[in-house]
Amino acid sequence: MQQSFRVRDIQIAPATVLAPMAGVTDTIFRRMIRGLGGCGLIMTEFTSAEGVTRNASRTLSYLYFEPDEHPITAQLFGANARVMADAAKLVEDLGFDIVDINLGCPAKKVVKCGGSGLLRDLRSLEELLSSVRAAVRIPLTIKTRAGWDDKHIVAVEVARMAEGVGVEAIAVHPRTREQGYNGFADWTLIRAVKEAVSIPVIGNGDIRTPEDALRMVRETGCDAVMIGRGASTNPWIFRQIGQFVSTGRYDEPADGDRYELLSSYFRHLKDAGWPDAIGKMKQFACWFTHGVRNGAELRRRVTTAQSAAEILNRVDAFFSVELASGSGH
């Protein structure tokens, strides 16, 4: 696995990327991942270009970032070429390093106005990418799925076309829109895209362990790996990949590490006055606690709490008992 890769003149080291995840990769989550080390590039939640250009405050809040988050990519979705170009300009003005176009989201409400819906009409997609490319000076990248369904696997075609209009890197999640998040990601498609273009190719899909990350690179030749759901259940995965590359082994977090991370993340959410802080806490607890001893009990306590303060108290109480029992791991 290579130490770094470049998107034009931006050096990304290590060659690992946090995938954009709706409702997850806000500034607090991204900075938590950054703080744990090992992640080369972070990305915003995918953000509506229509919302950005209409100056909708909730949409613009998705594009809030802190200076210590560089290098950072803003990901946009939409289907109108002019609106996408205008939104990309705004992203550039905000100081993002890279702008990325989402061609992968399978959600129904997104498909109607972008996401993987764009994979059904490559001529319109080419026009959209050309418009965005002409509008900004910063690097332009895309994240795509395999295609709409098994009968329309278009990732290689999309990659070639994107490279032709000046897109500077492509992330490939080799499931179809129809698959959603079910079944398996077909990594052979990542290899096919890598062989078809000369821009960096970032592999995404079914990376749950450091072993998976190295196997993907070995099997596909991709320039970097992108991790989404694997990072929400195990935020240490990027650091573990670095350890595994260097030494052939990696550390598992102890219960004390998990407690520290969970409570500090929740406190940051509460202190930031996030409008849906409680929802975010409950969602994160459901993923994150699968590695915790008696995690089901902790999940139950968090999901039945009524307020952010109550969640924090319950997390503190749970771990004080677990850690006092002396296991530590």
Side-chain angles (χ1 to χ4, degrees):
M1 186 163 172
Q2 52 192 58
Q3 294 294 304
S4 65
F5 73 110
R6 295 181 83 84
V7 178
R8 199 197 298 167
D9 52 353
I10 298 168
Q11 176 93 352
I12 295 162
T16 51
V17 184
L18 174 66
M21 291 179 282
V24 181
T25 51
D26 57 47
T27 182
I28 297 173
F29 185 87
R30 294 190 307 257
R31 294 174 76 212
M32 174 182 77
I33 292 289
R34 259 286 139 78
L36 289 171
C39 184
L41 179 66
I42 52 179
M43 298 179 76
T44 66
E45 300 177 58
F46 72 115
T47 305
S48 160
E50 293 278 354
V52 168
T53 54
R54 282 201 307 268
N55 215 7
S57 59
R58 183 173 173 85
T59 306
L60 287 171
S61 72
Y62 296 148
L63 296 179
Y64 174 81
F65 70 96
E66 296 274 1
D68 61 1
E69 294 186 55
H70 291 288
I72 181 169
T73 297
Q75 194 191 61
L76 299 172
F77 75 88
N80 179 302
R82 184 185 50 76
V83 171
M84 288 289 276
D86 289 347
K89 265 190 253 181
L90 182 98
V91 158
E92 181 171 60
D93 292 346
L94 286 172
F96 282 93
D97 300 293
I98 299 170
V99 61
D100 185 85
I101 308 298
N102 179 303
L103 310 179
C105 182
K108 280 197 177 77
K109 65 177 185 179
V110 174
V111 163
K112 283 189 291 206
C113 54
S116 55
L118 295 169
L119 299 176
R120 290 177 293 187
D121 182 352
L122 298 194
R123 190 169 293 166
S124 296
L125 174 57
E126 184 169 13
E127 188 186 311
L128 184 150
L129 293 176
S130 299
S131 296
V132 176
R133 177 64 289 171
V136 294
R137 293 182 302 279
I138 57 174
L140 170 64
T141 61
I142 60 174
K143 180 173 191 280
T144 188
R145 283 201 166 226
W148 183 255
D149 56 30
D150 284 346
K151 295 184 183 68
H152 303 92
I153 302 293
V154 295
V156 170
E157 205 180 330
V158 167
R160 284 198 181 111
M161 176 264 284
E163 183 177 36
V165 299
V167 168
E168 290 160 274
I170 177 169
V172 182
H173 180 148
R175 281 183 171 87
T176 63
R177 187 272 166 175
E178 198 174 58
Q179 270 183 286
Y181 295 101
N182 301 316
F184 296 99
D186 177 9
W187 290 0
T188 61
L189 190 62
I190 300 173
R191 171 170 280 288
V193 170
K194 177 63 189 160
E195 289 169 354
V197 294
S198 56
I199 55 177
V201 173
I202 302 155
N204 174 229
D206 292 354
I207 297 177
R208 297 182 185 91
T209 65
E211 290 90 338
D212 292 337
L214 267 68
R215 188 166 57 83
M216 178 185 275
V217 173
R218 205 168 53 240
E219 290 180 11
T220 69
C222 63
D223 299 280
V225 295
M226 175 184 278
I227 303 175
R229 289 175 298 162
S232 52
T233 52
N234 174 19
W236 289 272
I237 190 166
F238 296 107
R239 186 166 81 190
Q240 289 173 335
I241 289 169
Q243 290 177 331
F244 193 54
V245 169
S246 302
T247 67
R249 55 170 296 282
Y250 54 91
D251 299 327
E252 290 289 355
D255 276 0
D257 300 322
R258 291 179 179 281
Y259 168 54
E260 206 173 295
L261 191 71
L262 192 62
S263 64
S264 68
Y265 176 57
F266 282 5
R267 280 187 166 78
H268 281 128
L269 279 172
K270 179 173 172 282
D271 295 347
W274 226 256
D276 50 352
I278 296 171
K280 278 183 182 285
M281 288 179 182
K282 291 182 178 182
Q283 178 189 39
F284 187 69
C286 286
W287 296 324
F288 182 76
T289 51
H290 286 282
V292 176
R293 235 169 21 107
N294 298 328
E297 174 59 19
L298 178 55
R299 284 193 292 284
R300 189 191 66 74
R301 292 190 196 181
V302 170
T303 51
T304 56
Q306 302 296 308
S307 69
E310 191 178 358
I311 289 173
L312 284 166
N313 289 338
R314 289 181 175 194
V315 167
D316 290 346
F318 173 87
F319 278 103
S320 70
V321 171
E322 288 300 313
L323 295 172
S325 70
S327 75
H329 287 274

